Amino acid sequence: MSIALGGCVKGPPVEFGITEDTGGHITYALGAARALAALLQVDRVEIVTRLIDDPALGSAYAVPLDTIADGLAIRRIDSGNRAYLCKEANAADRPAFTRALIAHIAGLERRPDVIHAHFADAAAVAEQVRAAFGIPFVYTAHSLAIDKALAQGGSVGLARRIAEEDHAIGAADAIIASSRDEAERQIMLYPSACPAKVHCVPPGANLDSVDLADSAADLAAARALIAPFLRNPDLPMILAIARPVAKKNLTGLIDLFAADAGLRDKANLVIVAGLRDGPQSGEPEQREVITGLLNRLDAHDLYGTLALPKRHSQTDIAALYALARETGGVFVNPALTEPYGLTLTEAAIHGVPVVATSHGGPADIVARLGHGHVADPRDHTAFADAIHALLDDRIAWARASAAGRINARALDWTSYAKRFVTIAQGLRAVAAPRAKAQRLLLCDIDNTLTGCSVGADGMATFLASEPTLAFGVATGRSLQEAERLLDEWRQPAPHVLITSVGSEIYWRDGARLVADRAYAQHIDAGWDPAAIEARVAGLRGVEAQPPVEQRRHKRSYFVSEPAVVAAIRAALADLPVRVIHSHGNLLDILPQRAGKGAAMAWTGRVMGIAPDHVYAAGDSGNDLDMLDACRNGIMVANYSAELAPLIGRPTIYLARRAHAAGVVEGMKAYAQARAA
């Protein structure tokens, strides 16, 4: 059961922008539900929403049960108030909706196995359903207010929503985030967040829209939609599609376009901002944004170069993407912050290069798809320059267009659905009893477990044959990235994950992960990240890694020069910290009590495994302290120069084979030595 309360929810074609809250989350909910319903493991999927009977919106939203496909339907619950409700009014109606939904579920012959709550309001409903029936729920935030507050410079007016989101994050059995930024930065800003519950599962792309608008007739329809506004409609199109809300920064886009004479001369700006009948139609924020757009059209005298169509269909949107490609244009997302940005994947599918905000999830999408640039929309010059770079360089434009069309196909909803089912099954699973671990193997991931698929398969086979060997990883990666890589390389689920260079530990409890809070408290002694940042900030040759790489007990930088590494060590000499340099240009600063070696010792003690029965394998500088402290260390053949001082030690086995094959070789060599 998928619960989505905001906006007007219906099957395709979705009437995006018909209300302020009818946005991308509906595309997400429909795409996920349809892919789940297509899986053999799933019998039925229902999207549950409010029943709305409003003549202005049409009769579709008053249908109690709307079948979309085999095994997939939208169920509309009558709360007693059939009016369309904005967010604030929806909150007042929520108790009545919840009672009606619980009464409905109580009468079902078969109740849902799991609930997927979209936004915090749905999570509050799902929590009550769980209390009544014991059904676990998964929470997807879509858009977090705390990041919106940071973008606006304060949380005025958002305090209640932030509190609701924090409660949802703490209450959910699992959380699905769309990007690393959302999973590892945005959600972690909330006091109740725990990384062990967060799964990064990128949504699929809407492949249905591919090639729908490539015919001459469809391109003609797109031209007809914008022709009344434009003097020269054959110029490259700068296309923006977004709900008319302030955080989408559409008025800022007009301002930067107006300020750049070069852009105005070479391109048209087309903004599709929901559906409207006039400047005063819609909800208050919607009216305010639309009025702002029209005022700027007039104030900047952009008649002939700016198109603001009033109404559109999904076919029109597909046609506009196609026309943007046909004219050699770009798609832009200038949001002050964007949790993910499904329109960026839509643009990629249609071969339209993009320029997107650098705040939030778009950086992940653009890096993965390779179809454009990210820039700060507050810096109008930088954002405009990124647009110029694509419009002026036709080779770069063509490469971005081709990359988007090819790479977007990897973002399929089927992969999303399979991950979702795995997570859902984990919430319901009863852990099978394991043989008591007698030994512990901790492996680095990058270039130790990864790097050779044959070796990785051999590693998985070896671990399956060792029931009394506990398997764990010790990595510089975050928890979400570690799990993604292990899944990609077909490795078994570890008993324990030491992540972020030994600054975090997570234990597997059945199918769930549990953060080791005692370890976090232990390493927190004397940790002062503000003091670290202040001292490092003044040094030359140091670049902070992106915010998503910073952790509660880790500060990370790019540093390549050994002299700069030495300068950092000197600057921090009187602080209780550890400075770790690895892979030639990665530098991590940790609490003195942290690190892979310290985490290894802690893990062994918790499991009751003596140091003589703990094994560690690695390849780079961030494995140095772990291998140095381990009595059964394994250096794979592809080790980096940072580990050279360990060669020749009796506690180190230097494998002849690289990557995972070297780990298996080392484990077998230790077994033979013990047997002898």
Side-chain angles (χ1 to χ4, degrees):
M1 177 177 285
S2 178
I3 303 177
L5 301 180
C8 294
V9 182
K10 66 182 286 291
V14 178
E15 297 176 291
F16 293 110
I18 190 172
T19 67
E20 182 180 301
D21 296 326
T22 305
H25 74 283
I26 296 174
T27 296
Y28 182 117
L30 286 169
R34 186 167 63 175
L36 283 164
L39 294 182
L40 291 176
Q41 306 100 304
V42 178
D43 295 326
R44 182 168 178 81
V45 179
E46 283 191 356
I47 301 173
V48 170
T49 189
R50 293 183 67 253
L51 188 145
I52 301 167
D53 193 358
D54 184 336
L57 299 175
S59 60
Y61 307 105
V63 177
L65 184 64
D66 191 358
T67 299
I68 305 300
D70 288 345
L72 172 61
I74 296 174
R75 185 176 296 277
R76 298 183 178 90
I77 299 295
D78 188 351
S79 68
N81 182 349
R82 297 188 170 192
Y84 176 81
L85 301 176
C86 63
K87 287 178 183 176
E88 293 74 17
N90 217 341
D93 185 63
R94 197 185 308 153
F97 177 89
T98 303
R99 289 192 296 271
L101 177 59
I102 288 174
H104 165 71
I105 294 174
L108 293 177
E109 186 174 324
R110 180 180 176 187
R111 293 169 183 165
D113 295 293
V114 66
I115 291 174
H116 189 187
H118 299 274
F119 289 106
D121 54 358
V125 174
E127 186 178 7
Q128 294 298 309
V129 173
R130 183 180 62 190
F133 305 109
I135 303 171
F137 79 91
V138 178
Y139 169 50
T140 294
H142 291 290
S143 176
L144 289 163
I146 202 165
D147 218 39
K148 182 178 179 181
L150 291 173
Q152 294 176 350
S155 60
V156 176
L158 294 172
R160 170 183 271 184
R161 180 175 161 189
I162 291 171
E164 276 200 342
E165 289 169 350
D166 184 59
H167 184 84
I169 288 167
D173 296 287
I175 298 168
I176 289 182
S178 296
S179 67
R180 280 196 67 200
D181 185 80
E182 184 183 8
E184 300 180 36
R185 185 188 66 80
Q186 296 179 42
I187 290 173
M188 290 303 114
L189 294 172
Y190 288 80
S192 298
C194 175
K197 292 200 301 186
V198 182
H199 305 265
C200 182
V201 189
N206 183 17
L207 297 175
D208 287 352
S209 62
V210 178
D211 296 331
L212 287 181
D214 283 348
S215 71
D218 288 329
L219 289 173
R223 288 191 176 97
L225 187 67
I226 60 176
F229 301 90
L230 302 178
R231 188 176 303 112
N232 185 356
D234 293 326
L235 288 175
M237 181 193 301
I238 301 171
L239 175 64
I241 301 171
R243 290 181 298 124
V245 293
K247 74 173 185 178
K248 298 298 183 179
N249 193 34
L250 296 175
T251 53
L253 175 62
I254 294 180
D255 290 340
L256 76 84
F257 178 76
D260 193 311
L263 275 186
R264 297 198 311 274
D265 288 342
K266 72 178 64 166
N268 293 315
L269 178 59
V270 177
I271 297 178
V272 180
L275 305 173
R276 71 182 190 276
D277 295 316
Q280 296 307 309
S281 63
E283 296 156 84
E285 186 177 12
Q286 192 175 7
R287 292 197 298 270
E288 183 178 347
V289 170
I290 293 298
T291 300
L293 296 177
L294 296 173
N295 286 344
R296 279 166 168 77
L297 166 67
D298 193 63
H300 295 307
D301 194 16
L302 294 176
Y303 296 98
T305 59
L306 170 61
L308 294 167
K310 294 172 61 175
R311 306 196 70 79
H312 61 273
S313 66
Q314 279 188 279
T315 302
D316 291 331
I317 294 298
L320 285 170
Y321 280 124
L323 186 58
R325 184 185 69 247
E326 182 80 6
T327 61
V330 299
F331 180 84
V332 294
N333 178 331
L336 298 175
T337 182
E338 182 66 71
Y340 186 68
L342 282 170
T343 51
L344 298 175
T345 65
E346 291 180 356
I349 292 167
H350 288 278
V352 184
V354 304
V355 175
T357 177
S358 57
H359 301 288
D364 291 351
I365 301 175
V366 175
R368 185 183 298 115
L369 301 183
H371 66 322
H373 307 297
V374 294
D376 186 348
R378 296 177 182 83
D379 185 341
H380 286 186
T381 300
F383 204 85
D385 286 348
I387 298 172
H388 278 292
L390 288 168
L391 294 179
D392 295 344
D393 187 338
R394 302 318 296 170
I395 294 176
W397 186 96
R399 286 174 177 164
S401 174
R405 297 196 86 166
I406 293 168
N407 295 331
R409 293 186 176 275
L411 294 175
D412 67 302
W413 278 113
T414 300
S415 296
Y416 171 97
K418 289 178 179 177
R419 285 283 309 278
F420 186 98
V421 167
T422 299
I423 294 165
Q425 288 173 334
L427 298 180
R428 296 172 48 79
V430 177
R434 278 177 169 166
K436 180 173 173 55
Q438 299 172 5
R439 295 169 297 148
L440 169 64
L441 168 62
L442 293 173
C443 292
D444 177 46
I445 296 180
D446 291 88
N447 296 319
T448 300
L449 290 177
T450 70
C452 172
S453 58
V454 174
D457 290 343
M459 180 72 180
T461 301
F462 168 77
L463 292 171
S465 70
E466 296 283 338
T468 61
L469 175 67
F471 168 58
V473 295
T475 177
R477 298 267 189 172
S478 66
L479 174 63
Q480 287 78 21
E481 282 292 279
E483 290 203 286
R484 178 184 65 80
L485 279 171
L486 291 169
D487 183 62
E488 282 183 9
W489 287 84
R490 301 183 298 277
Q491 296 303 292
H495 295 63
V496 60
L497 292 97
I498 296 169
T499 63
S500 299
V501 204
S503 64
E504 299 171 10
I505 298 177
Y506 300 94
W507 297 95
R508 192 166 300 281
D509 179 12
R512 305 191 191 204
L513 290 172
V514 179
D516 193 325
R517 299 188 184 278
Y519 179 74
Q521 186 175 8
H522 169 71
I523 67 174
D524 198 50
W527 176 244
D528 187 352
I532 293 167
E533 292 167 356
R535 296 190 189 189
V536 173
L539 300 176
R540 300 182 66 178
V542 180
E543 178 188 352
Q545 291 184 31
V548 72
E549 302 295 348
Q550 314 300 332
R551 313 294 289 183
R552 177 184 170 190
H553 289 115
K554 178 172 77 77
R555 289 298 178 269
S556 297
Y557 300 88
F558 295 115
V559 180
S560 56
E561 295 297 325
V564 179
V565 177
I568 291 174
R569 293 186 194 277
L572 304 176
D574 61 328
L575 295 180
V577 300
R578 306 189 57 211
V579 178
I580 299 172
H581 192 234
S582 61
H583 296 287
N585 71 332
L586 303 179
L587 186 137
D588 298 296
I589 302 170
L590 311 174
Q592 194 168 52
R593 291 180 172 182
K596 289 187 179 182
M600 176 184 69
W602 179 280
T603 301
R605 285 195 299 271
V606 170
M607 297 182 73
I609 297 175
D612 282 346
H613 298 291
V614 175
Y615 303 79
D619 72 284
S620 75
N622 69 24
D623 303 314
L624 181 60
D625 68 325
M626 178 173 69
L627 294 172
D628 181 47
C630 187
R631 299 180 187 180
N632 306 289
I634 302 168
M635 282 170 55
V636 292
N638 56 294
Y639 68 89
S640 65
E642 299 143 339
L643 297 185
L646 298 179
I647 296 174
R649 287 194 184 184
T651 57
I652 296 294
Y653 178 85
L654 181 58
R656 295 183 302 276
R657 298 183 181 182
H659 309 296
V663 180
V664 175
E665 176 191 329
M667 291 300 293
K668 289 181 177 179
Y670 277 121
Q672 290 171 359
R674 288 187 184 278

